[in-house]
Amino acid sequence: MALPREYPGQSCAMARALEIVGERWTLLILRDAFFGVRRFSDFSRHLGVPRAVLTERLEFLVAEGVFDRVRGPRGRDEYVVTDKGMGLWPVLRALGAWGDAHYSPAGPRRTFRHEGCGGAVAPGGRCAGCGAQVPVGATVLVPGPGYEGPAEGDAISAALAEPHRLLEALP
Amino acid sequence: MALPREYPGQSCAMARALEIVGERWTLLILRDAFFGVRRFSDFSRHLGVPRAVLTERLEFLVAEGVFDRVRGPRGRDEYVVTDKGMGLWPVLRALGAWGDAHYSPAGPRRTFRHEGCGGAVAPGGRCAGCGAQVPVGATVLVPGPGYEGPAEGDAISAALAEPHRLLEALP
DNA sequence: CACCGATGGTTCGGTGAACGAACTGTGTGC
DNA sequence: GCACACAGTTCGTTCACCGAACCATCGGTG
């Protein structure tokens, strides 16, 4: 049988992309990585994904060149987004924009601003202030009006609630 | 236990969106719908998805307001994308752009053009010809240099190979 | 009218993935 | 040496996906 991640017979770029990032948890792992999460246990704690699944997903994403596994300080492995992985930011941004538009009556839970200029970054990546196309690394994540506060006793979601640049490692 | 489609504890717009469209097959069903597929048997034949799964997905997407179920000609049910569903086009477009960039060495398999103007539509939705933001319904799907031809004996993929407007019912 | 094929499903047994809890190994810091 | 955090692995259970077969309805055709 075809592997469950495959979509046999679909010679389509969207299907091909979904074979890489379409499995359960994968896009949320990637979202956390954009938000600055890098370590196995931080992904695990913040997402609540079974550890075996997390191992398998990280392994696969490294093999596909979406993540790099690097030795961080104190001998800990860190998973960082590659250039290829950064190409997936528009996908996550579009998903978030749709989710906010239809399931956040109080307004967006997170907003994105152009570092320096400070203008709001539209889902397409354009800055409403200066009109520039903002690269992922120059985007600052700021809680929006619909933000509901961090989960109880979760250091990761508390750190995510502070404004910070995308892809920058959390403290 | 939490329903399998859920991501418990994630108060995030992306997670919320993935609870709607993150299950296996859902985004491919939606892609086909944008390309003009509307009937149960056409989805089934073209995607090869198990019929029980297709039933469940269509039902759920109708309940969530992504599809409308309407009585088509000759008493057949048709599933058409709602305004809310159209909001997901940027997600699919971004996925396809990433898939093309990294897994289509011969160039994109499909391209998108601005109806009338004829300019290429960028993943963000802007027309390279006239600079306008192109609505989904004014986008024309055209096979690109990486297109590999329709699957053998598949009337649906043959119809998809002809240039046509998005969301317009196939012949 | 009886028949027939297409449509739009439902049912059902088998299989593989996800789940969660427990366990293991490995590298620091004290 | 010892404790602890980190980064997994193992394992039994549960659940969704799979594919094949079955069923009801509708529209035409003889």
Side-chain angles (χ1 to χ4, degrees):
Chain A
M1 197 197 80
L3 286 177
R5 70 162 56 91
E6 292 179 347
Y7 295 100
Q10 298 298 314
S11 71
C12 163
M14 296 174 198
R16 192 74 189 82
L18 284 172
E19 289 178 356
I20 312 299
V21 298
E23 290 179 296
R24 185 158 158 75
W25 296 112
T26 300
L27 282 174
L28 288 185
I29 291 169
L30 208 50
R31 175 204 62 174
D32 270 17
F34 277 109
F35 287 179
V37 177
R38 294 188 169 188
R39 295 217 308 276
F40 184 93
S41 58
D42 289 345
F43 286 113
S44 171
R45 259 197 294 276
H46 186 234
L47 290 172
V49 47
R51 304 165 81 78
V53 174
L54 181 57
T55 300
E56 205 255 326
R57 295 292 188 275
L58 290 173
E59 215 78 37
F60 179 68
L61 291 172
V62 168
E64 284 294 331
V66 173
F67 280 156
D68 259 347
R69 186 206 304 260
V70 302
R71 276 229 163 268
R74 295 203 295 278
R76 293 162 172 170
D77 276 354
E78 300 200 333
Y79 297 88
V80 298
V81 182
T82 62
D83 284 348
K84 178 174 174 181
M86 285 185 212
L88 286 163
W89 175 244
V91 177
L92 286 170
R93 187 71 177 83
L95 266 177
W98 187 80
D100 271 330
H102 296 283
Y103 298 97
S104 293
R109 304 168 197 235
R110 305 177 197 279
T111 62
F112 301 92
R113 310 214 144 258
H114 187 187
E115 187 185 22
C117 149
V121 179
R126 200 164 293 278
C127 173
C130 64
Q133 191 69 22
V134 182
V136 183
T139 306
V140 177
L141 166 67
V142 182
Y147 181 68
E148 290 163 358
E152 192 70 23
D154 179 353
I156 304 300
S157 59
L160 292 181
E162 294 302 309
H164 65 287
R165 266 207 305 280
L166 293 184
L167 297 172
E168 193 167 82
L170 294 180
Chain B
M1 196 198 83
L3 285 178
R5 69 163 56 92
E6 292 178 348
Y7 295 100
Q10 299 298 312
S11 72
C12 162
M14 296 174 197
R16 192 75 189 80
L18 285 172
E19 289 178 357
I20 312 299
V21 299
E23 289 178 297
R24 187 158 157 74
W25 296 112
T26 300
L27 282 174
L28 288 185
I29 291 168
L30 208 52
R31 173 204 64 174
D32 270 18
F34 277 108
F35 288 179
V37 176
R38 294 188 169 187
R39 296 217 307 276
F40 184 93
S41 58
D42 289 345
F43 286 114
S44 171
R45 260 198 293 277
H46 185 234
L47 291 173
V49 46
R51 304 164 80 76
V53 174
L54 181 57
T55 301
E56 205 255 328
R57 295 292 189 275
L58 289 173
E59 215 78 36
F60 180 67
L61 291 172
V62 168
E64 284 294 331
V66 173
F67 280 155
D68 258 347
R69 185 206 304 261
V70 302
R71 278 231 162 264
R74 294 203 294 279
R76 293 163 172 169
D77 276 354
E78 299 200 334
Y79 297 89
V80 298
V81 181
T82 62
D83 283 348
K84 178 174 174 181
M86 285 185 213
L88 286 164
W89 175 245
V91 176
L92 286 169
R93 187 71 176 83
L95 265 177
W98 187 81
D100 271 331
H102 296 283
Y103 299 97
S104 293
R109 303 167 196 236
R110 306 178 197 277
T111 63
F112 302 92
R113 309 213 145 258
H114 188 187
E115 185 185 24
C117 148
V121 179
R126 199 162 293 278
C127 173
C130 64
Q133 191 68 21
V134 182
V136 183
T139 305
V140 178
L141 165 68
V142 183
Y147 181 68
E148 290 163 357
E152 192 70 25
D154 179 353
I156 304 300
S157 60
L160 292 181
E162 294 301 309
H164 65 287
R165 266 206 305 279
L166 293 184
L167 297 172
E168 192 167 82
L170 294 180

